[in-house]
Amino acid sequence: MQVPRNWRLQKQRYSLIGEVCEHCGVKLFPPRDVCPECSHGAQTLYQFTGMGNIHSFSQVFDPPNGHIENTPFIVALIQLEEGPMVTAQLTDIDIEHVEIGMEVEMVTRKMSDDGTEGMIIYGYKFRPPIVD
Amino acid sequence: MTIDNREPDLQAMKPDIPVGIVGYGAYIPRYRLPAEDIAKLWVGPSNRVPVTEKSVAGIDEDVVTMSIEAARNVLARADVNPIDIGAVWVGSESHPYAVKPTSTIVAEAIGAVPNTQAADWQFACKAGTEAIQASTGFVGSGMTKYALAIGMDTAQGRPGDALEYTAGAGGAAFLLGTAEESVATIEGSFSFVTDTPDFWRRQNAKYPQHSKRFTGEPAYFKHIAECAEQLMHALGTKPTDYAYAIFHQPNSKFPQQVAKVLGFTTEQIATGLLAADVGNVYAGSALLGLTAVLDVAQTGDRILLVSFGSGAGSDAFDLSVNDRLSLCQTLAPTTKDYIERRTVIDYATYARYRGKLALI
Amino acid sequence: MTGSTNIYVSGTGCTKVGEHWGTSLRHLAWEAVNLALLSSNTKKPDAIFVGNMLSSSLSQQLNVGALVADFCGFRGTEAITVEAAGASGAAALRQAILAIRSGEINTALVVGVEKMTDAVGPDVTTAIAGGADSDWELAHGLTAPAIAALIMRRYMYEHSVPTDGLSGFSVNAHKNASTNSYAMFRNLISNEQYSRGAMVSSPVNVFDSAPDADGAAALVITSSDRELVEGRSIQIAASNLTTDSLAIHDREDLLTFSAAQTSARYAYDQAGIDANDIDVAEIYDRFGVYAAMSLEACGFADWGSGWEMAQNGSVGLQGSLPISTFGGLKARGNPGGATGVYQIVEIAQQLAGTAKDNQVSDVKWALAQCLGSNGGTAVTHILNVVG
């Protein structure tokens, strides 16, 4: 398990903190420091609301390492309400109920772990809102 | 040396600066395991199960993730910048790490780091109310402006043990601040603690053990009753002064019995009695009852809260509801919202989600 | 193409694609190199470019360039590994072309080699998934099929593709592979079998998905006019490599392989032709939806209609644009970083007229396009017959 590498991304993964370009106003997630729209520096931190809708989704049956016990799991492209597209797992929902366009909200969950003795990696997933 | 046998000074604990709950938030996972399912598997009497069903954490949930969600619900109700939170204290008996705090992860996730206190509390089912008492002292002494106290568990029950019917998952978080900006003022609290071995889990054991009927009278009933009576005595209150009373709820029966002993009516405890629907959520048990009450309480209502932790002890609190409560009740999902969000699972799914199947 | 040096394919070779449990990375490479050198009658290349994707993660082997040079008897020769995920082999060819064009060398040996079966199971799935954005895709459990599935579901949704509407690519690929002796899957499949395929990452099922396999392919390319077969010189008329975002969530349009589109346009310009002139194409059909989107990107079909070419038979050996003529990634097999070199070996055979049962008639211009990182890298080559 690559501890420093995951530690470095905690802020973004736990809370969906990205960046905003002060020059053209575009919101960036994942953070990339340089605005892809206007090429100006964009390092001002921005807290996303975590609300978005499903652009596409898939149920994964053949997992990579760190995700085996959670298989099958659902992954999705989420269009955040501020604009950016995010790739993440869905949680608290069964595949039969997932639809393109449905509203979801961000929650922080266990993303993966390194066995029972290793680090647990936490990060964002999305689920249907608790309250409509 | 002779023992000093004088009676202790039975004053309620009160901070110098009045303290109250500035924000609160519940969390209950989505999954439910009916007690009948367990009774079927282990051939128990299905007509005498201690709860209807219990809440079960999903495969990607633990005390960290559940605490984060409850804390976010707190912040949705309290108009507070997380950088002003001076302590993040999480009480649980199911911290995901034996060494490495739950609290730092929660503090990081809600944006309270780095200038904050962070620690994990452990005292069986009363670890959360301990964190509230400590937070009361921390804020009430002026050492910090706000302190976040969480009681949260994904309780463990050995397959086939009586505990398995009830060992649920859930809890609540509370932000303590000055009484003047609070939704409910803490009028006083009281603790009652003895060395009573009713329930324990050794350092490297996966499941706890308990001393069966010994967990009742000398443990649960004695500590809760003494603690509640002494707090009411110290504050000069009586059961009829309270709109609501909440007692630790390892099952549905115990809290009803202790309420009766103390002179509380069924109506007073109904709102905060959730064991039938979620089971025993351990460090979150009494606290989840409190969030259910705060979701509906009105200005001027007085609330009695008494926790119980094995080992053993109780913390009792007297709270009075302020005007501000009505403004924040709907700013985050209510306890009822979480209870009604339920998906029933079978024992096999439960066994998988809770790591009861050995894959290696 | 830009500049003045003409470059020819003077030799080709490849191994059977499959699970070579008993053969190591270096032995696989040597087998293909040996065949290419024999067919080219070249004694020694000036430099060796090795396309490889996974040896560092699956075989704990870096510097495959030097390893292959040494093992094939060229100790001392300039050699380097080129890695661009699934497009590694095509990118190695691109680098070899640049080297010849620079005037530093005249003859290059291009090798694509992949040894998937040094590990098995999730280790391989994980290594391959590293072709996408590791921090923001793989970390969330996204595998290569999962990324294709996200694209496929959206493609079918936006373009109103019927269920199983992408099946034609797999059926065609298996049909063509059935007569290819080095293909991994030589069985025919029907639409019904496709429909019953077990899900890998819904809606991608096993029949949508190319098998990850071992294999090696090699080319000798040279600035001297050398015939590949008697009377036919095969010229590299265009070469281009273009990139896009690695992560699909950063793409301007999820349903356009914009790197593939740009790369194809540049390639047509270099060759002085357009899409209509292409007689045969080896495209990146790792997943049915990638084949459809590649056809659109290369200008063979309108945006959103690439899938229809497989359903109406246009992509068959007798169709208007034959693709995957030896089975493609889907049925010949997908040996990762070797795939891009296999594609060139295959279109060279089509141009030389040596494709036997898989021969497309009257091939003058052929295109090979290889993608890495789900379209994050696109490499396009166009070859034609001279003489």
Side-chain angles (χ1 to χ4, degrees):
Chain A
M1 182 61 68
Q2 296 155 315
V3 171
R5 182 178 170 200
N6 287 297
W7 164 80
R8 194 180 304 127
L9 297 172
Q10 275 170 190
K11 192 187 287 291
Q12 294 91 331
R13 286 209 185 127
Y14 289 178
S15 333
L16 214 58
I17 291 175
E19 292 168 336
V20 58
C21 172
E22 301 270 20
H23 187 255
C24 74
V26 80
K27 316 288 194 307
L28 304 175
F29 195 90
R32 53 194 303 152
D33 297 355
V34 176
C35 178
E37 300 294 322
C38 70
S39 301
H40 283 75
Q43 292 182 311
T44 306
L45 296 183
Y46 183 84
Q47 172 70 63
F48 286 84
T49 62
M51 300 305 295
N53 62 65
I54 293 177
H55 189 73
S56 191
F57 64 95
S58 171
Q59 188 173 31
V60 180
F61 293 92
D62 186 12
N65 289 327
H67 298 268
I68 293 164
E69 289 182 22
N70 192 24
T71 304
F73 52 89
I74 307 171
V75 296
L77 285 169
I78 314 294
Q79 179 104 54
L80 298 176
E81 64 179 2
E82 296 90 344
M85 193 83 83
V86 176
T87 304
Q89 287 189 23
L90 301 182
T91 189
D92 288 359
I93 189 163
D94 302 316
I95 189 73
E96 310 85 79
H97 299 117
V98 184
E99 282 175 23
I100 287 177
M102 78 184 286
E103 196 186 7
V104 287
E105 66 180 2
M106 186 276 259
V107 288
T108 307
R109 293 291 172 93
K110 285 196 278 187
M111 278 169 57
S112 59
D113 67 31
D114 188 17
T116 53
E117 296 190 0
M119 284 285 299
I120 304 166
I121 306 300
Y122 297 97
Y124 50 80
K125 293 190 181 182
F126 289 79
R127 68 156 183 223
I130 295 278
V131 185
D132 292 333
Chain B
M1 197 172 76
T2 57
I3 294 172
D4 180 358
N5 265 335
R6 73 184 160 82
E7 285 294 311
D9 180 15
L10 297 181
Q11 293 294 309
M13 294 189 279
K14 278 184 161 182
D16 293 343
I17 305 164
V19 171
I21 293 168
V22 174
Y24 70 96
Y27 184 72
I28 302 166
R30 172 192 181 207
Y31 303 101
R32 302 286 181 275
L33 178 64
E36 275 183 15
D37 242 49
I38 303 171
K40 256 184 248 165
L41 187 74
W42 298 109
V43 203
S46 62
N47 61 340
R48 276 180 39 213
V49 294
V51 297
T52 314
E53 59 187 20
K54 68 169 183 176
S55 56
V56 178
I59 199 164
D60 60 355
E61 295 188 280
D62 62 17
V63 164
V64 166
T65 67
M66 293 160 62
S67 296
I68 290 169
E69 181 155 347
R72 286 187 178 139
N73 286 336
V74 167
L75 292 171
R77 287 195 172 97
D79 186 21
V80 167
N81 186 331
I83 62 169
D84 291 327
I85 297 174
V88 176
W89 287 332
V90 184
S92 179
E93 60 179 80
S94 36
H95 292 290
Y97 290 93
V99 177
K100 184 184 186 307
T102 299
S103 52
T104 52
I105 308 173
V106 176
E108 184 85 45
I110 63 168
V113 293
N115 301 113
T116 188
Q117 237 285 329
D120 292 358
W121 296 70
Q122 189 273 114
F123 189 152
C125 299
K126 86 172 188 79
T129 53
E130 278 185 312
I132 293 179
Q133 276 182 335
S135 295
T136 307
F138 212 38
V139 173
S141 64
M143 285 176 72
T144 189
K145 206 170 170 194
Y146 302 104
L148 183 66
I150 301 174
M152 192 67 69
D153 256 309
T154 56
Q156 315 94 27
R158 184 187 300 279
D161 189 288
L163 289 177
E164 196 179 27
Y165 287 107
T166 54
F174 299 88
L175 189 67
L176 284 295
T178 58
E180 59 187 17
E181 59 173 314
S182 74
V183 300
T185 303
I186 296 176
E187 302 293 350
S189 75
F190 201 89
S191 283
F192 184 94
V193 170
T194 68
D195 178 359
T196 305
D198 58 324
F199 169 103
W200 60 89
R201 179 164 66 82
R202 294 285 296 273
Q203 183 69 265
N204 295 314
K206 189 170 181 189
Y207 299 112
Q209 294 194 21
H210 56 93
S211 36
K212 311 219 184 274
R213 287 185 58 76
F214 185 68
T215 60
E217 196 279 320
Y220 180 88
F221 291 101
K222 178 184 159 100
H223 290 80
I224 289 190
E226 293 268 4
C227 194
E229 275 175 352
Q230 291 183 10
L231 177 66
M232 288 191 284
H233 181 260
L235 293 174
T237 57
K238 52 190 185 305
T240 51
D241 293 333
Y242 296 94
Y244 301 98
I246 304 136
F247 303 103
H248 173 60
Q249 33 206 275
N251 49 48
S252 299
K253 196 171 73 176
F254 278 22
Q256 294 181 64
Q257 285 178 343
V258 82
K260 202 169 168 190
V261 168
L262 285 165
F264 288 90
T265 64
T266 310
E267 291 71 34
Q268 281 171 297
I269 64 167
T271 306
L273 184 52
L274 312 175
D277 296 321
V278 300
N280 178 6
V281 298
Y282 286 52
S285 174
L287 296 181
L288 206 50
L290 178 57
T291 61
V293 165
L294 290 174
D295 284 337
V296 297
Q298 295 176 345
T299 305
D301 282 347
R302 203 126 178 205
I303 303 165
L304 179 73
L305 169 76
V306 192
S307 66
F308 170 73
S310 290
S314 282
D315 301 322
F317 298 81
D318 177 308
L319 299 122
S320 61
V321 173
N322 302 326
D323 291 343
R324 284 169 170 265
L325 179 61
S326 63
L327 303 175
C328 78
Q329 282 166 327
T330 58
L331 296 181
T334 64
T335 313
K336 194 169 172 235
D337 289 331
Y338 281 109
I339 289 173
E340 288 175 354
R341 179 189 77 136
R342 56 187 281 283
T343 299
V344 173
I345 55 172
D346 58 15
Y347 195 92
T349 307
Y350 160 74
R352 177 171 169 238
Y353 283 2
R354 299 322 302 159
K356 290 172 195 298
L357 296 171
L359 296 184
I360 43 169
Chain C
M1 67 197 286
T2 323
S4 55
T5 314
N6 292 326
I7 300 178
Y8 302 90
V9 176
S10 70
T12 68
C14 68
T15 70
K16 190 174 186 315
V17 178
E19 294 171 321
H20 293 277
W21 301 109
T23 311
S24 69
L25 182 79
R26 64 192 79 184
H27 282 94
L28 277 174
W30 177 82
E31 194 181 325
V33 166
N34 189 41
L35 291 169
L37 291 171
L38 284 173
S39 81
S40 153
N41 202 22
T42 295
K43 292 278 182 289
K44 185 178 176 301
D46 299 326
I48 303 169
F49 297 83
V50 182
N52 174 270
M53 174 183 178
L54 298 172
S55 67
S56 59
S57 43
L58 296 183
S59 312
Q60 287 74 52
Q61 181 62 64
L62 304 182
N63 207 353
V64 180
L67 178 78
V68 168
D70 183 32
F71 196 75
C72 294
F74 302 121
R75 191 178 295 178
T77 302
E78 177 171 355
I80 191 168
T81 318
V82 179
E83 188 271 308
S88 297
L93 171 60
R94 166 75 182 152
Q95 293 306 308
I97 290 167
L98 291 175
I100 293 174
R101 297 214 42 76
S102 77
E104 283 266 332
I105 64 169
N106 292 316
T107 301
L109 174 63
V110 178
V111 186
V113 58
E114 203 65 74
K115 183 62 199 162
M116 296 271 187
T117 60
D118 269 2
V120 289
D123 286 345
V124 181
T125 305
T126 308
I128 294 171
D133 189 321
S134 188
D135 280 349
W136 303 105
E137 292 182 322
L138 172 55
H140 293 269
L142 275 283
T143 58
I147 289 171
L150 293 174
I151 295 174
M152 178 175 168
R153 190 181 299 277
R154 190 72 198 184
Y155 183 95
M156 297 181 78
Y157 174 83
E158 279 195 36
H159 299 320
S160 306
V161 179
T163 308
D164 301 338
L166 289 157
S167 64
F169 292 108
S170 302
V171 172
N172 175 59
H174 277 257
K175 182 163 181 270
N176 294 345
S178 68
T179 48
N180 173 8
S181 61
Y182 63 82
M184 182 168 183
F185 290 149
R186 299 184 61 182
N187 59 314
L188 298 174
I189 63 162
S190 64
N191 281 314
E192 291 67 34
Q193 277 170 296
Y194 173 94
S195 306
R196 292 196 304 268
M199 285 298 164
V200 178
S201 190
S202 65
V204 167
N205 72 27
V206 289
F207 291 115
D208 278 308
S209 187
D212 302 314
D214 301 333
L219 303 169
V220 179
I221 64 169
T222 173
S223 55
S224 329
D225 189 353
R226 295 273 289 278
E227 293 175 344
L228 185 62
V229 292
E230 203 177 331
R232 287 198 196 197
S233 293
I234 310 301
Q235 185 181 225
I236 298 174
S239 170
N240 177 276
L241 186 153
T242 301
T243 59
D244 193 356
S245 72
L246 275 199
I248 59 166
H249 51 240
D250 288 332
R251 301 267 163 93
E252 206 142 297
D253 173 15
L254 183 66
L255 302 186
T256 300
F257 279 145
S258 71
Q261 195 173 46
T262 306
S263 181
R265 279 181 193 159
Y266 275 108
Y268 294 142
D269 283 353
Q270 281 175 29
I273 59 168
D274 62 35
N276 293 325
D277 295 315
I278 298 295
D279 301 309
V280 63
E282 291 301 325
I283 55 166
Y284 197 73
D285 64 338
R286 182 172 179 194
F287 301 98
V289 69
Y290 286 8
M293 285 168 57
S294 293
L295 289 173
E296 295 164 21
C298 292
F300 300 126
D302 291 337
W303 187 76
S305 67
W307 64 279
E308 292 171 6
M309 288 183 71
Q311 296 309 85
N312 66 23
S314 304
V315 299
L317 289 181
Q318 277 77 45
S320 57
L321 182 76
I323 66 166
S324 311
T325 60
F326 289 83
L329 281 73
K330 174 66 199 79
R332 171 242 293 137
N334 176 25
T339 291
V341 183
Y342 273 92
Q343 290 179 317
I344 303 296
V345 170
E346 289 163 355
I347 61 170
Q349 289 182 68
Q350 292 291 0
L351 290 162
T354 55
K356 298 178 191 158
D357 292 345
N358 297 68
Q359 185 66 49
V360 173
S361 58
D362 203 20
V363 179
K364 292 194 177 60
W365 293 94
L367 173 145
Q369 187 179 69
C370 199
L371 306 183
S373 304
N374 314 294
T377 293
V379 187
T380 311
H381 287 99
I382 294 174
L383 276 59
N384 66 323
V385 186
V386 186

